[in-house]
Amino acid sequence: MRTVRAVVIGCGVIGITTALRLRSAGVEVEVWTRDDPSATTSAAAGAIWYPFLAEPRDAVARWSAVTFARLEALAADPSTGVRMCSVVEAFDEEAPDLWWASAVRGVTMLPPREVPDGFRAAARTTVPVCDVPVHLSWLLGELARAGVEVVRREVESLDEGFDHADVVVNCAGLGARELCDDRELRAVRGQVLRLEGVSMDEAWIDDTDARPCYIVPRADSLVVGGTAQAGDERPRVDDEDSDAILAAATRSWPALSRGRVRDAWVGFRPFRSSVRLEPEQRSGGRLLVHNYGHGGSGYTVSWGCAEDVASLITG
């Protein structure tokens, strides 16, 4: 049997992991990207394992479990930029729906005396966290070691890939809106701060409001977010958003007021009502596989989605 050649369009975490999984299955792969990988939405992520703005839940839970196991294994090697981190999530209801719990090693509900003020329940678990600059660099290094070339190229049509390959995989994220004329796909703006001069032992998630609050420890700083502004595509950092992000974080953790903001950045989560992971037969028997619309869950579902893509292509 001849080797299948595939072009993966998109070089965020979804595109990279998809390319790596295909290569490990014996597929010859090339990655096409309009943007430098350091300028993708993946480069702007908090990158804590946590399903956010991705549906349907049953598929997301399955993809998340595969990715959890893969990242947990990578955490044994510091060069990957992945580590395991305790995280507390707070809720405004006494019996929260922990629908993602089957994907992790275990969840502990905090006793009432340990629940932070203003909340009715809280849960603690341990999840992978990716130090984005280190992890993306490591992933790109894995592509190079596997012999996968990354080509800077502006793509106007997905069919361009069929001039070079048997299979095209669409991991274009928000770019799929134009490439597929997918008007359901929309941007959800996320603004994030990096805080120095203060530290935390574990991560924090408060998703009880329209403005999510999360704090993710990194080696020398805290990543503090955020916003979830649907349909908002302002690329510049908004000072009012920064003030609101800090205010929300310090309400739960007053010690953070001693920190200083080192920098801030904006990313756009590609959201649709359901992740699109499906094959599409083009004329002449050509196979196009879509893998986009992961919302704020790219680092959480990437390896699981890559596994499904590989199964569709290689059987």
Side-chain angles (χ1 to χ4, degrees), residues 29 35 43 78 122 148 172 176 191 202 250-251 253 267 294 301:
V29 187
D35 302 316
V148 177
Q191 183 165 313
E202 57 188 355
T250 54
R251 273 197 298 272
W253 301 98
H294 305 86
V301 302

Side-chain angles (χ1 to χ4, degrees), residues 194-217:
R194 189 190 312 277
L195 205 60
E196 291 184 329
V198 65
S199 63
M200 290 178 60
D201 294 331
E202 57 188 355
W204 164 261
I205 296 174
D206 168 15
D207 193 23
T208 61
D209 198 359
R211 180 186 293 273
C213 177
Y214 53 90
I215 305 166
V216 182

